[in-house]
Amino acid sequence: MSRAIKHLLIGGLIIMTIGVSTAPAANENDLKLTIVNPKTLYDPTPNGYSTAVIVPREGRLAYISGQGGQDSTGALSPDFTVQVKQAYANLRAALNALGARPDQVAKLTVFVVDHDMSKLEVLTKNVKDMFGAALPAQTLIPVPKLAIDPMLFEVEAVVLLD
């Protein structure tokens, strides 16, 4: 398999829309995500995520496939921090391609090779830098390996489209 095909498979963007409504167009406020952080649960916001996010009924969703830390040439730094920063830059590029903003991301799933607590600070900083107060729901999954050996991090997203 050629290098170009590998990188298309690894960093590809899958767009899938669901829930296309036949009802009259909703007003702009109806298409906002609602963040829910119950007071009876641990406050996740210092760690860069929300407990739950409600997507409006009229919304269309896009699913962004896992974005790794490859630059535009397909090169991967061996440094975890560099890969995470690049992966979020790649996620932002995918959002831009959809005409979406970070505050439209409802859910993130992140995969971390050989996760330990030292990596959590890097992850939290990057999420807060990208999402500010509009923190999506998020799941971190420690893994022994990703699609290609030098990959240390990958992030996928579910996005509410306007």
Side-chain angles (χ1 to χ4, degrees):
M1 182 180 305
S2 77
R3 178 181 166 108
I5 291 173
K6 281 183 186 176
H7 291 290
L8 283 173
L9 291 173
I10 294 167
L13 175 69
I14 299 172
I15 301 171
M16 211 171 140
T17 58
I18 63 170
V20 177
S21 176
T22 57
N27 76 43
E28 186 177 312
N29 290 333
D30 291 340
L31 292 178
K32 298 289 183 195
L33 297 172
T34 303
I35 294 173
V36 179
N37 288 310
K39 299 292 182 202
T40 57
L41 295 177
Y42 164 80
D43 179 11
T45 57
N47 294 320
Y49 67 97
S50 295
T51 300
V53 176
I54 300 170
V55 175
R57 182 181 316 231
E58 298 81 14
R60 289 186 314 137
L61 297 179
Y63 294 83
I64 298 177
S65 65
Q67 299 300 302
Q70 299 93 332
D71 66 18
S72 62
T73 69
L76 275 165
S77 167
D79 183 82
F80 178 77
T81 301
V82 172
Q83 282 196 31
V84 171
K85 184 174 182 174
Q86 182 64 52
Y88 280 101
N90 295 346
L91 177 59
R92 186 175 291 275
L95 289 171
N96 290 342
L98 295 171
R101 303 173 312 276
D103 68 348
Q104 292 173 263
V105 174
K107 172 76 166 77
L108 294 175
T109 303
V110 298
F111 303 90
V112 179
V113 173
D114 298 327
H115 175 64
D116 63 43
M117 294 309 288
S118 69
K119 294 178 179 176
L120 202 52
E121 185 177 331
V122 172
L123 299 173
T124 300
K125 179 191 180 320
N126 280 274
V127 168
K128 287 183 173 184
D129 286 350
M130 183 163 177
F131 296 97
L135 296 169
Q138 184 174 184
T139 301
L140 184 154
I141 302 173
V143 295
K145 183 177 176 177
L146 287 165
I148 56 175
D149 286 332
M151 280 182 77
L152 302 173
F153 178 77
E154 189 171 17
V155 57
E156 63 183 35
V158 178
V159 183
L160 171 67
L161 299 177
D162 285 334

